[in-house]
Amino acid sequence: MPTITAFENSPDRGRGHARDMRVRWAFEEVGQPYDVRLLSFAAMKQPAHLALHPFGQIPTYEDGDLTLFESGAIVLHIAERHDGLLPKDANARARAIAWMFAALSTVEPPIVELSMAMMFERDRSWYAERLPGLQEHVRIRLGELSRRLGKADWLDGAFSAGDLMMVTVLRRLNSSGLLDEYPDIAAYVARGEARPAFRRAFDAQLAVFNAASRS
Amino acid sequence: MPTITAFENSPDRGRGHARDMRVRWAFEEVGQPYDVRLLSFAAMKQPAHLALHPFGQIPTYEDGDLTLFESGAIVLHIAERHDGLLPKDANARARAIAWMFAALSTVEPPIVELSMAMMFERDRSWYAERLPGLQEHVRIRLGELSRRLGKADWLDGAFSAGDLMMVTVLRRLNSSGLLDEYPDIAAYVARGEARPAFRRAFDAQLAVFNAASRS
């Protein structure tokens, strides 16, 4: 059974924004059981973990003699080996993978930049002046995404690993209010969150956080 | 023959930092000819291009009835279909793909954030105060990457699509001086730039810029 790593005590307080959520959700979509090894922040920067993940992050993936890092690579690896996350048709498969890269390379960076500023720059002199520009960068991407998505359920035909990545990236905006400006995208995220596999993955990571809080 | 899109007049003035460079390099590594359609900034945001690329960027990839966007997805697509960019061994192949995602998701965002600030925030009141933090984020990633790379030629065995993506991402730092602090990484980037396939791709994109400058 593959083993992944996750935060022992997630800084998102169990809201499922940590990147192990993507891998958990992928496992649940394809019906593949997995083990989880929890790591403290200190352990993530120790040699034992750095041997698995050069950047000292979570998640990692270990299965036999294969070790992987990067949530995108792990989800793609799972999707290539099990039915349920990539279309059979070669062209549709390539497009689903393109949406995975779009989620990580084009949509996620301005969202992370905004959320980092909201977390770490609130007390800086420039915060009020800089915030509107950061929000605007996110709005541009949301507008483009909304125009492409329209009233469709998913980005390109059936639910795929591309939707899985995009929904997890967009969920970081849940508390920002920005998604409310794009009802089609808010509905898309809600559609992802309503999938039984998402719920199982979400509950699993929440249980870890709740256990850490009680201890 | 596949057709890609590129800037008619690249804002990097032919230094090969635009993302078509990655795709050109991949085509050259596998010995696959390709066509290029050049786009103005205005054309990139028109409906005809948005139908190919929802975020109105370059590059795109068209081959028969398949259209792709995202340089990572296009390079992976090329690498899956031609020898030369992914190992045959399944585990080594998965690790090479993990390095592609690492380049785009973990190493590129702080580099883009730094270079955007250096381009667009120089006149802002906060620039001097904010710059050191941005540089530090990049240094953390470079330090981690350097520790993993060590004296090896490439990130994981033979040159792969993972190295191709990582070298193109790191090249954006060429003018920042930061690479000089990490000689192993500077040598790694130089090793990538010395590959004949890189040179052919670089010269091709430079020729486009030079032609635009003359016209």
Side-chain angles (χ1 to χ4, degrees):
Chain A
M1 198 185 300
T3 298
I4 67 169
T5 48
F7 289 127
E8 184 178 79
N9 198 338
S10 178
D12 75 349
R13 304 187 57 78
R15 291 181 296 161
H17 295 169
R19 288 175 174 80
D20 59 295
M21 178 65 200
R22 300 164 178 177
V23 176
R24 291 175 183 272
W25 187 5
F27 277 130
E28 293 291 350
E29 288 285 348
V30 304
Q32 171 74 25
Y34 62 98
D35 272 335
V36 183
R37 191 171 69 251
L38 301 177
L39 292 172
S40 67
F41 293 110
M44 287 167 58
K45 303 301 177 184
Q46 294 301 309
H49 188 63
L50 289 170
L52 306 180
H53 195 313
F55 302 102
Q57 298 175 329
I58 60 96
T60 55
Y61 169 102
E62 293 161 88
D63 188 16
D65 56 356
L66 173 63
T67 299
L68 292 177
F69 61 103
E70 289 290 334
S71 59
I74 299 170
V75 168
L76 180 57
H77 183 76
I78 295 168
E80 284 181 328
R81 271 149 196 80
H82 303 277
D83 287 344
L85 284 170
L86 286 176
K88 299 288 184 205
D89 173 74
N91 286 358
R93 178 184 177 281
R95 291 196 304 268
I97 293 172
W99 280 112
M100 293 182 67
F101 279 100
L104 294 170
S105 293
T106 300
V107 179
E108 184 168 53
I111 291 176
V112 168
E113 207 174 332
L114 172 64
S115 58
M116 288 292 153
M118 291 175 72
M119 274 191 284
F120 299 117
E121 296 190 4
R122 279 191 186 275
D123 299 333
R124 308 307 290 259
S125 59
W126 61 73
Y127 182 70
E129 197 182 346
R130 192 165 172 263
L131 188 63
L134 294 174
Q135 292 172 326
E136 185 56 24
H137 286 163
V138 173
R139 283 195 183 96
I140 289 170
R141 293 290 174 246
L142 294 179
E144 291 161 338
L145 187 65
S146 170
R147 189 176 47 210
R148 172 56 70 105
L149 179 67
K151 299 297 177 192
D153 277 357
W154 308 112
L155 290 167
D156 191 344
F159 177 85
S160 78
D163 295 297
L164 185 152
M165 296 306 283
M166 190 65 81
V167 168
T168 58
V169 163
L170 294 169
R171 288 188 74 247
R172 286 185 82 129
L173 292 171
N174 274 351
S175 59
S176 73
L178 284 173
L179 289 182
D180 301 336
E181 301 174 19
Y182 303 88
D184 289 344
I185 296 188
Y188 169 71
V189 172
R191 209 173 289 126
E193 293 175 337
R195 292 178 70 85
F198 177 96
R199 298 308 317 172
R200 290 193 294 273
F202 184 89
D203 291 347
Q205 62 81 37
L206 180 60
V208 171
F209 178 76
N210 287 338
S213 304
R214 277 193 302 272
S215 68
Chain B
M1 197 184 301
T3 298
I4 67 169
T5 48
F7 289 127
E8 184 179 79
N9 198 338
S10 178
D12 75 348
R13 306 187 57 77
R15 291 181 297 162
H17 295 170
R19 289 176 173 77
D20 59 296
M21 178 64 200
R22 300 164 177 176
V23 177
R24 292 175 183 272
W25 188 6
F27 277 129
E28 294 290 350
E29 288 284 348
V30 304
Q32 171 74 26
Y34 62 99
D35 273 335
V36 183
R37 191 171 70 251
L38 302 177
L39 293 173
S40 68
F41 293 110
M44 288 167 58
K45 304 299 177 184
Q46 294 302 309
H49 187 64
L50 289 171
L52 306 181
H53 195 314
F55 302 102
Q57 299 175 327
I58 59 96
T60 55
Y61 169 101
E62 294 161 87
D63 188 17
D65 56 356
L66 174 62
T67 299
L68 292 177
F69 61 103
E70 289 290 334
S71 60
I74 299 169
V75 169
L76 181 57
H77 183 77
I78 294 167
E80 284 182 329
R81 272 147 197 79
H82 304 277
D83 287 345
L85 284 170
L86 286 176
K88 300 286 184 206
D89 173 74
N91 285 358
R93 178 184 177 282
R95 291 196 304 270
I97 293 172
W99 280 112
M100 293 182 67
F101 280 100
L104 294 170
S105 294
T106 299
V107 179
E108 184 168 54
I111 290 175
V112 169
E113 207 175 333
L114 172 64
S115 58
M116 288 292 151
M118 291 175 72
M119 274 191 284
F120 299 117
E121 296 190 3
R122 279 190 186 277
D123 299 332
R124 308 307 291 258
S125 59
W126 61 72
Y127 182 70
E129 196 180 348
R130 193 165 171 263
L131 188 64
L134 294 174
Q135 292 173 325
E136 185 57 23
H137 286 164
V138 173
R139 283 195 182 95
I140 289 170
R141 292 291 174 247
L142 294 179
E144 291 162 338
L145 187 66
S146 170
R147 188 174 49 209
R148 173 56 70 103
L149 179 67
K151 299 297 176 192
D153 278 356
W154 307 112
L155 289 167
D156 191 343
F159 177 84
S160 78
D163 295 297
L164 185 153
M165 296 306 283
M166 190 66 81
V167 167
T168 58
V169 163
L170 294 168
R171 287 188 74 249
R172 286 186 82 128
L173 293 171
N174 274 351
S175 60
S176 72
L178 283 174
L179 290 182
D180 301 337
E181 301 174 20
Y182 303 88
D184 289 344
I185 295 189
Y188 169 71
V189 172
R191 209 173 288 127
E193 293 175 337
R195 293 178 70 86
F198 177 95
R199 297 308 318 169
R200 289 193 295 273
F202 184 88
D203 292 346
Q205 62 80 37
L206 180 59
V208 171
F209 178 77
N210 286 339
S213 304
R214 278 192 302 270
S215 67

